[in-house]
Amino acid sequence: MEKKDLLIKVLKEYGLRPFVEDNVVMFRYQLKRLFCVVDDEKDNYICMFYPNFYEVVESEKAAALYVSNKTTREIRHLKVYVDEELENISASSEFFFDSEESLKLGVAKGLELIGIIGTYIAQAMADYSKEIGEPDSEIEEETLFEDLSNIVE
């Protein structure tokens, strides 16, 4: 069975309704729109992508970079990153599988983590604001990265 067909089968077993367009498998999970780009490579690698789930305001740019990096280090099955314009945070669950059973486990873990990542990031952003002592206020751009380096140390 091809990787795309196997992924669709597993998603349907979880009660999801995948839609396929070209090499992209799209589906909704907990009102979130997720994507899996299924390439023609023979490797058994899956990437479930959850784009732009958190909009970054100007005063949160350093916090978004810090929180995304920290989250990616702490949650191994998930990558969290800020886009090039520093305007949105996205996440992806990426894993290899060697059987249908391991694909099911990978998809289940990915869905579990994607289900909570929005709340996790919002809380981490709030915690970051408290750590630098300026909750919910604009931070001067000159001191933004200086404050970040103090927290990292």
Side-chain angles (χ1 to χ4, degrees):
M1 186 178 286
E2 284 188 28
K3 181 171 35 173
K4 182 171 28 176
D5 297 328
L6 189 56
L7 176 61
I8 291 167
K9 178 183 175 195
V10 167
L11 292 172
K12 285 181 178 181
E13 287 177 13
Y14 283 116
L16 303 170
R17 294 182 294 171
F19 170 77
V20 180
E21 187 174 302
D22 297 322
N23 283 342
V24 179
V25 178
M26 298 167 270
F27 60 97
R28 286 195 171 273
Y29 176 72
Q30 295 180 349
L31 301 176
K32 298 165 178 64
R33 187 182 316 251
L34 305 179
F35 304 88
C36 296
V37 177
V38 182
D39 55 21
D40 294 330
E41 298 291 322
K42 295 295 181 194
D43 64 350
N44 290 331
Y45 178 77
I46 296 291
C47 173
M48 286 191 296
F49 184 57
Y50 180 29
N52 305 331
F53 67 88
Y54 186 98
E55 187 174 336
V56 179
V57 297
E58 188 67 33
S59 63
E60 294 179 320
K61 289 187 177 189
L65 291 169
Y66 172 77
V67 165
S68 296
N69 185 39
K70 183 176 187 246
T71 303
T72 297
R73 282 193 326 266
E74 291 175 352
I75 304 177
R76 293 183 175 220
H77 195 88
L78 214 57
K79 291 182 183 177
V80 180
Y81 46 91
V82 182
D83 64 7
E84 290 180 13
E85 294 82 24
L86 301 176
E87 294 176 351
N88 292 289
I89 298 177
S90 299
S92 63
S93 169
E94 304 178 24
F95 58 93
F96 285 95
F97 65 96
D98 63 358
S99 65
E100 185 175 340
E101 187 59 33
S102 67
L103 176 60
K104 287 178 185 178
L105 293 171
V107 167
K109 187 64 172 178
L111 292 175
E112 174 188 351
L113 293 171
I114 286 172
I116 64 166
I117 195 62
T119 303
Y120 187 93
I121 291 295
Q123 182 61 52
M125 294 290 280
D127 292 346
Y128 175 86
S129 293
K130 289 177 189 171
E131 285 180 33
I132 62 171
E134 298 195 27
D136 302 327
S137 66
E138 289 245 353
I139 301 169
E140 290 184 32
E141 198 168 305
E142 296 171 2
T143 62
L144 200 56
F145 290 101
E146 185 179 302
D147 291 339
L148 177 62
S149 65
N150 292 335
I151 291 173
V152 172
E153 294 171 359

